[in-house]
Each structure stands twice: as C-alpha cells, then as structure tokens.
C-alpha cells in the first residue's frame, strides 16, 4: 500500500499540497535497534510508520531511559519534528524496536502545510493532544503507582503487543522502558517468579498467571 492510503487527511489536501508532499517524501527501512531520531540534535520531520514498531523515550544525563510511547503501523510521530514549533522542544529519542518501514515528511514541508491547510492544522493539534495525554498518563503512573504494579502492567502490555506469553526481553530492557534500574527490576521479577506469576529464563520472561498480574496492576 502507498503513502496516500496511510496519511489520514490526504483527501482533504488540494493537488498542489499533495504533490509537494510526494515530491519531498522520504521512505526508509531500518533494522531493529537503529536510532532514527536523536533528541534536539535532529529535526527529522514527521514520521509515519508503514510497518514495524518504534519506541520514543527520554534519556537522562545519567544515561537512564524511560519510554514515553510506542509507534505501530499507521502511527505518526510529531515530536520528531518539534523544531518546526518553537514553543515545543522535546529531547525525545526514537529507536526501532523491530525492523521498521516508515515515511518522513520533512519538517519545513509539513510546517508550510499546517500554515495553509486547516485540516492539517486541526489534525496536528489532535495528534499533539494525544501524545501529551500519553505523557500525562506516564507521569501519573510514575507518581502514583508502585513499581510492582507498573512492571505487571508492562508485562501484560508487552504480551498483548507480541501476541505471546513468552517475551524475549531482558531485565535491562524492562528497566529502560520503566525508567528504573536493572537490579531493581530483577528483584521484582524474582518476586513475581516466587509468586508463580512468571518464569524467568535467559533473555526471556514467560507469563504463567495473567490473572494474578491483572489483579496486581489494578489494585
């Protein structure tokens, strides 16, 4: 399928606007682990995922990470083009969690589109509101939810994404998603294992008791 069928407001743009986007559009395919946007160092442009999975995260001065949100098929990332909005500066890093195909609309092209197209401006505002809701939800989780509940919720979410109870993921990776330390996550997972909720093996976590994890995360 082509870009036109993925871009939500394509039919609301005039022919000149459509041509301008297609002429400037960049198509990329990257392997798992590739960093495609590196904070304020880059002004990548608007990213539209064709297939695969991307992770947007913040990186502290000490090198700790915390996942802000993830991007799947047909998802768009606006913060990778935050340079086009001077009041919005986010040092977000975007990395491929799986082999991924995506398009990039250069920031300057999209900025001009927003200025002359009401549908584009409205869509951008909706997209921004959605992402800020994601960020606010994350802040609430960090402030009000204990780590055991957050780990349980993460494992259940990961199982839903992968469609499997066996998750090929390291303790380090879980810590990076949740903004914690590997040692703390290891202790928590061992506790889960002792309670019969998971089974730990090298580079993997297997969910054994989904109901137990669901009860824990909702307490």
């Amino acid at each position: 399928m082509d870009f036109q069928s993925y871009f939500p407001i394509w039919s609301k743009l005039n022919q000149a606007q459509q041509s301008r986007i297609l002429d400037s559009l960049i198509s990329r395919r990257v392997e798992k682990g590739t960093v495609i946007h590196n904070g304020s160092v880059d002004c990548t442009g608007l990213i539209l995922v064709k297939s695969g999975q991307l992770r947007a995260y913040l990186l502290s001065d000490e090198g700790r990470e915390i996942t802000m949100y993830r991007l799947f098929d047909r998802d768009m990332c606006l913060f990778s083009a935050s340079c086009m909005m001077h009041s919005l500066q986010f040092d977000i890093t975007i990395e491929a969690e799986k082999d991924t195909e995506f398009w990039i609309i250069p920031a300057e092209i999209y900025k001009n589109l927003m200025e002359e197209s009401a549908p584009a401006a409205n869509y951008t505002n909706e997209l921004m509101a959605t992402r800020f809701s994601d960020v606010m939800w994350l802040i609430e989780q960090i402030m009000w939810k204990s780590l055991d509940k957050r780990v349980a919720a993460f494992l259940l979410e990961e199982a839903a994404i992968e469609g499997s109870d066996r998750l090929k993921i390291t303790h380090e990776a879980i810590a990076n998603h949740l903004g914690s330390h590997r040692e703390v996550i290891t202790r928590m997972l061992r506790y889960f294992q002792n309670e019969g909720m998971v089974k730990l093996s090298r580079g993997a976590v297997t969910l054994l008791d989904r109901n137990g994890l669901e009860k824990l995360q909702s307490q």
Side-chain angles (χ1 to χ4, degrees):
M1 297 180 71
D2 53 19
F3 173 83
Q4 294 92 319
S5 62
Y6 277 71
F7 193 53
I9 56 168
W10 182 258
S11 62
K12 297 179 181 178
L13 304 179
N14 63 40
Q15 192 168 2
Q17 292 164 344
Q18 292 176 346
S19 297
R20 203 181 315 146
I21 289 177
L22 290 179
D23 289 344
S24 64
L25 200 62
I26 301 166
S27 181
R28 289 191 62 188
R29 181 198 297 262
V30 298
E31 295 182 351
K32 176 181 177 179
T34 304
V35 173
I36 62 176
H37 177 78
N38 190 15
S40 58
V41 175
D42 294 338
C43 189
T44 305
L46 201 78
I47 294 173
L48 173 57
V49 180
K50 182 178 183 181
S51 64
Q53 184 173 317
L54 303 177
R55 170 183 172 235
Y57 63 92
L58 292 180
L59 185 65
S60 73
D61 293 338
E62 296 79 31
R64 284 174 61 187
E65 302 173 6
I66 186 165
T67 299
M68 303 297 286
Y69 54 86
R70 286 148 125 184
L71 299 162
F72 305 95
D73 298 8
R74 296 184 179 273
D75 280 344
M76 269 194 168
C77 186
L78 183 63
F79 290 146
S80 55
S82 61
C83 58
M84 68 185 181
M85 292 164 282
H86 299 300
S87 59
L88 179 65
Q89 292 298 324
F90 258 82
D91 270 353
I92 280 184
T93 302
I94 301 173
E95 180 180 6
E97 286 195 296
K98 297 180 178 179
D99 294 351
T100 303
E101 290 185 69
F102 59 95
W103 292 283
I104 298 173
I105 305 174
E108 197 60 36
I109 296 294
Y110 196 78
K111 182 180 179 182
N112 292 338
L113 181 66
M114 282 196 305
E115 289 171 351
E116 62 182 54
S117 166
N122 291 338
Y123 174 69
T124 305
N125 289 335
E126 290 172 8
L127 192 59
M128 196 181 303
T130 299
R131 290 300 170 219
F132 272 116
S133 293
D134 292 340
V135 172
M136 291 306 298
W137 179 86
L138 176 63
I139 291 171
E140 288 179 1
Q141 298 295 303
I142 294 170
M143 290 182 67
W144 309 120
K145 272 205 167 186
S146 58
L147 185 61
D148 59 344
K149 293 181 176 61
R150 293 179 60 215
V151 173
F154 174 80
L155 294 175
L156 290 166
E157 178 189 20
E158 195 72 7
I161 291 171
E162 298 299 330
S164 172
D165 283 340
R166 188 174 190 275
L167 310 177
K168 294 180 180 178
I169 191 167
T170 64
H171 299 186
E172 181 79 28
I174 296 173
N176 287 342
H177 277 291
L178 300 178
S180 185
H181 294 285
R182 180 184 58 78
E183 296 81 3
V184 176
I185 296 299
T186 296
R187 285 198 297 271
M188 190 67 66
L189 290 173
R190 284 175 179 165
Y191 164 72
F192 284 4
Q193 181 169 252
N194 291 338
E195 294 295 308
M197 291 187 284
V198 304
K199 178 184 177 183
L200 305 180
S201 54
R202 187 173 181 84
V205 180
T206 303
L207 277 59
L208 300 178
D209 182 6
R210 278 175 172 264
N211 289 337
L213 290 169
E214 287 168 357
K215 287 179 182 176
L216 175 60
Q217 73 150 340
S218 61
Q219 285 176 355

